[in-house]
Amino acid sequence: MRENEFYGANTQKSEAEITKEIESLESEIKKLEDYCNRLWILKEKKRMEFKTNMQSHRTSVNEISGNIKETVGVKDDQKKEQEENIYQKKQISPQSNKKMVNRFCPYCGAPVNGMRFCGQCGNKVND
């Protein structure tokens, strides 16, 4: 019995000490809450800055891509006009300049789909 009494006497804290520890923990919790609030505000500011930057970046990209599309459109139109002028001068059709590619072997009729040699008879079908 004496050992139990001794153990109980050593582990008991006074009510004043317990109250002091609780107050200390409460002040630490308050400091942590304040710090969390400051971090939250900082995070929200950075998020808003990022959102604003992304919107301005999108706007500038759209402007640049619009300018590029206009430039490409003008160049495409100019290229088409030049090709039409060339074909009109030479009086040839654009299809006549294209190289014909065999899709079937002219010797055995096997499908070759643009290959150089026939896979069935081995004859050369496209150059």
Side-chain angles (χ1 to χ4, degrees):
M1 281 274 205
R2 285 187 176 179
E3 290 177 15
N4 288 341
E5 289 174 16
F6 180 72
Y7 179 73
N10 285 338
T11 58
Q12 287 183 345
K13 293 184 179 180
S14 70
E15 190 174 318
E17 289 175 340
I18 293 173
T19 305
K20 221 181 218 184
E21 286 180 8
I22 290 173
E23 288 172 355
S24 172
L25 290 173
E26 286 175 344
S27 71
E28 287 295 318
I29 289 172
K30 177 69 176 151
K31 288 177 187 175
L32 289 172
E33 284 177 348
D34 291 341
Y35 188 71
C36 286
N37 287 336
R38 286 194 310 251
L39 288 175
W40 179 266
I41 291 168
L42 181 64
K43 181 200 72 111
E44 287 299 310
K45 284 181 182 177
K46 293 296 181 181
R47 186 181 67 81
M48 293 304 292
E49 286 175 10
F50 178 76
K51 187 175 179 181
T52 305
N53 288 339
M54 287 303 296
Q55 287 173 345
S56 65
H57 178 70
R58 273 193 212 116
T59 303
S60 65
V61 166
N62 288 339
E63 289 173 2
I64 291 170
S65 65
N67 292 340
I68 290 171
K69 286 179 185 175
E70 289 174 8
T71 304
V72 169
V74 168
K75 287 185 179 181
D76 284 344
D77 291 342
Q78 290 172 352
K79 187 176 178 181
K80 286 179 186 175
E81 287 176 13
Q82 288 173 352
E83 288 175 353
E84 288 174 3
N85 291 337
I86 290 169
Y87 292 131
Q88 287 174 356
K89 287 178 184 176
K90 292 185 178 181
Q91 295 180 352
I92 57 173
S93 66
Q95 287 80 15
S96 65
N97 276 349
K98 291 184 180 176
K99 191 173 185 179
M100 297 299 290
V101 177
N102 290 326
R103 296 184 61 181
F104 297 96
C105 176
Y107 305 103
C108 69
V112 291
N113 291 328
M115 296 186 302
R116 274 184 98 171
F117 296 95
C118 176
Q120 190 166 353
C121 68
N123 286 316
K124 192 172 186 177
V125 292
N126 290 310
D127 289 328

